[in-house]
């Protein structure tokens, strides 16, 4: 029988272990062990190899430590051997071999990760801002924010830069982290093997709203992607209703235009996200809120309640102007 103190200790240990396992079962958080691309396949495979090696070493060492203790308890004679030889083999040679093998694995993985299997035909510039992502497609007028569409199964070249501090680009199911460093362009590539939407996140603490610096990677069949890109490259559609027309005037005549661009209008600011096709995005403010009339109105009226400390100040518009500008922006699909 266990003493009460030991029993309590055992129960506490059980709770810690099971809560760890249960937390790992949450499917809504993207996991690097759920790969959907060649780069994340590489990460997941090497994770499992390293985990198995570490687990095997852990079990071996535990057995080697516990068995002699049990034998001594039973007062059995432990055969004395040559201690030096044991230390030489199990303490130096064996760990050395294991470390060399895992090091070799990491180095080959880094080399494989560095270059795409096929040359990429498309380049996307991603610029990190506090606290959102600017996305530009080379060879196209398309500019978007916090939503990166790519054709499925095709390697895409990424050029990562930052407009302010260090950020880190991470899409757990698609690719490992890559930092965005001031005054530097970090080149990497990305390929998604299955159509779908994958959540990415800034993985380097960059200030107050770092946690609200998410983005989506949307992998589409080639034809859908081409349609999407063609539309994004166009100027904003002309307003068709009186309400939307009023919204356009509010946008171009108030402070919005000093920070935001809507291509095809006189708004050409470059502090905030390009709003030319903002109505078509799934979420606003780097994943913080869904993109619908209500959430966008709340954001424009006072984004500081949604994302305190972000660069967009509260906008003092009349209720009619607010409704008009949001109607106009929601119509920019
Ligand atoms: C001082 C600059 C500034 C002004 C003025 C400004 N904004 Fe912004 N806006 C920003 C920044 C920066 C962001 C991104 C904030 C973030 O996600 O952290 C933003 C985000 C947005 C977004 C969300 C875009 C997206 O894709 O996530 C909308 C919509 C928007 N602004 C509309 C407006 C409207 C309408 C006005 C005028 C009434 C306006 N803004 C005035 C800087 C500004
Ligand atoms: Cu960041």
């Amino acid at each position: 029988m266990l003493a009460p103190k030991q029993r309590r200790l055992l129960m506490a240990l059980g709770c810690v272990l099971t809560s760890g396992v249960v937390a790992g079962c949450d499917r809504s958080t993207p996991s690097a062990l759920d790969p959907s691309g060649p780069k994340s396949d590489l990460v997941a495979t090497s994770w499992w190899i390293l985990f198995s090696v570490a687990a095997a070493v852990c079990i071996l060492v535990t057995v080697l430590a516990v068995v002699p203790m049990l034998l001594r308890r039973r007062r059995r004679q432990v055969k004395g051997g040559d201690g030096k030889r044991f230390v030489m083999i199990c303490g130096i040679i064996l760990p050395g071999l294991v470390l060399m093998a895992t090091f070799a694995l990491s180095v080959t993985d880094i080399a494989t990760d560095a270059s795409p299997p096929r040359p990429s035909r498309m380049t996307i510039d991603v610029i990190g801002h506090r606290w959102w992502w600017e996305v530009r497609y080379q060879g196209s007028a398309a500019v978007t924010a916090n939503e990166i569409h790519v054709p499925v199964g095709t390697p895409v070249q990424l050029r990562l830069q930052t407009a302010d501090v260090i950020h880190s680009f991470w899409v757990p199911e698609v690719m490992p982290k890559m930092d965005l460093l001031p005054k530097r362009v970090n080149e990497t590539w990305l390929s998604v093997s299955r159509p779908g939407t994958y959540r990415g996140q800034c993985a380097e603490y960059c200030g107050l709203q770092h946690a609200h610096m998410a983005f989506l990677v949307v992998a589409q069949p080639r034809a859908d992607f081409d349609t999407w890109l063609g539309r994004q490259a166009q100027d904003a559609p002309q307003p068709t209703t009186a309400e939307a027309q009023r919204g356009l005037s509010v946008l171009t005549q108030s402070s919005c235009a000093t920070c935001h661009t809507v291509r095809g209008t006189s708004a050409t600011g470059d502090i905030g996200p390009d709003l030319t096709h903002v109505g078509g995005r799934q979420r606003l403010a780097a994943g913080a809120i869904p993109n619908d009339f209500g959430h966008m109105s709340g954001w424009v009226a006072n984004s500081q309640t949604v994302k305190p400390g972000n660069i967009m100040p509260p906008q003092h518009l009349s209720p009619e102007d607010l409704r008009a500008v949001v109607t106009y922006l929601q119509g920019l699909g």
Side-chain angles (χ1 to χ4, degrees), residues 316-333:
H316 304 288
L317 300 173
S318 70
E320 295 75 25
D321 281 351
L322 177 62
R323 202 179 59 213
V325 79
V326 174
T327 303
Y328 170 66
L329 290 174
Q330 285 286 312
L332 302 179

Side-chain angles (χ1 to χ4, degrees), residues 95-147:
L97 287 176
V98 170
L99 287 178
M100 264 164 15
T102 49
F103 179 67
L105 175 76
S106 315
V107 171
T108 36
D109 278 358
I110 290 171
T112 318
D113 178 78
S115 47
R118 283 175 288 135
S120 45
R121 284 184 302 159
M122 196 176 80
T123 303
I124 304 177
D125 283 291
V126 177
I127 302 128
H129 295 260
R130 277 176 298 173
W131 290 277
W132 58 281
W133 306 84
E134 178 182 343
V135 183
R136 295 180 169 268
Y137 288 78
Q138 283 192 11
S140 157
V143 183
T144 174
N146 311 316
E147 200 172 298

Side-chain angles (χ1 to χ4, degrees), residues 129-132 145-146 209 212 250-251 254-260 271-275 278 281 283-287 296 299-300 303 307 310-313 315-317 325-326 329:
H129 295 260
R130 277 176 298 173
W131 290 277
W132 58 281
N146 311 316
Q209 288 298 337
H212 283 144
V250 172
L251 184 102
S254 75
S255 61
C256 321
T258 56
C259 290
H260 292 288
I271 311 267
D274 185 300
L275 299 179
V278 67
R281 302 211 251 278
R283 297 189 75 84
L284 296 175
M296 192 189 267
W299 173 269
V300 174
S303 71
K307 223 170 145 175
N310 90 83
I311 314 298
M312 178 166 154
Q315 301 298 307
H316 304 288
L317 300 173
V325 79
V326 174
L329 290 174

Side-chain angles (χ1 to χ4, degrees), residues 239-305:
T240 48
T241 62
E243 175 89 338
Q245 184 63 52
R246 174 176 177 164
L248 172 60
S249 316
V250 172
L251 184 102
T252 51
Q253 280 153 36
S254 75
S255 61
C256 321
T258 56
C259 290
H260 292 288
T261 291
V262 176
R263 277 170 279 136
T265 75
S266 60
T268 53
D270 62 357
I271 311 267
D274 185 300
L275 299 179
T276 309
H277 295 285
V278 67
R281 302 211 251 278
Q282 298 185 23
R283 297 189 75 84
L284 296 175
I289 44 174
N291 187 7
D292 56 39
F293 189 89
H295 284 91
M296 192 189 267
S297 305
W299 173 269
V300 174
N302 189 356
S303 71
Q304 297 301 320
T305 56

Side-chain angles (χ1 to χ4, degrees), residues 75-95:
R75 300 191 187 288
R76 291 228 194 111
Q77 187 67 40
V78 181
K79 230 176 79 196
D82 182 359
K84 261 196 217 140
R85 214 167 89 204
F86 181 77
V87 168
M88 195 67 180
I89 295 173
C90 290
I92 299 174
I93 297 178
L94 218 59

Side-chain angles (χ1 to χ4, degrees), residues 129-131 133 165-168 202-207 210 213:
H129 295 260
R130 277 176 298 173
W131 290 277
W133 306 84
V165 299
I166 302 178
H167 301 279
S168 184
C202 178
E204 178 80 45
Y205 181 71
C206 56
H210 161 68
M213 192 170 162

Side-chain angles (χ1 to χ4, degrees), residues 25-101:
C25 293
D26 177 12
R27 307 290 299 175
S28 64
T29 315
S31 166
L33 298 182
D34 208 0
S36 286
K39 290 186 113 183
S40 45
D41 278 342
L42 204 66
V43 172
T45 310
S46 80
W47 191 91
W48 281 111
I49 294 173
L50 293 179
F51 175 73
S52 318
V53 170
V57 169
C58 184
I59 292 170
L60 183 72
V61 170
T62 313
V63 168
L64 286 179
V66 169
V67 167
M69 279 192 323
L70 291 179
L71 288 181
R72 261 182 68 181
R73 245 187 160 177
R74 291 186 192 157
R75 300 191 187 288
R76 291 228 194 111
Q77 187 67 40
V78 181
K79 230 176 79 196
D82 182 359
K84 261 196 217 140
R85 214 167 89 204
F86 181 77
V87 168
M88 195 67 180
I89 295 173
C90 290
I92 299 174
I93 297 178
L94 218 59
L97 287 176
V98 170
L99 287 178
M100 264 164 15

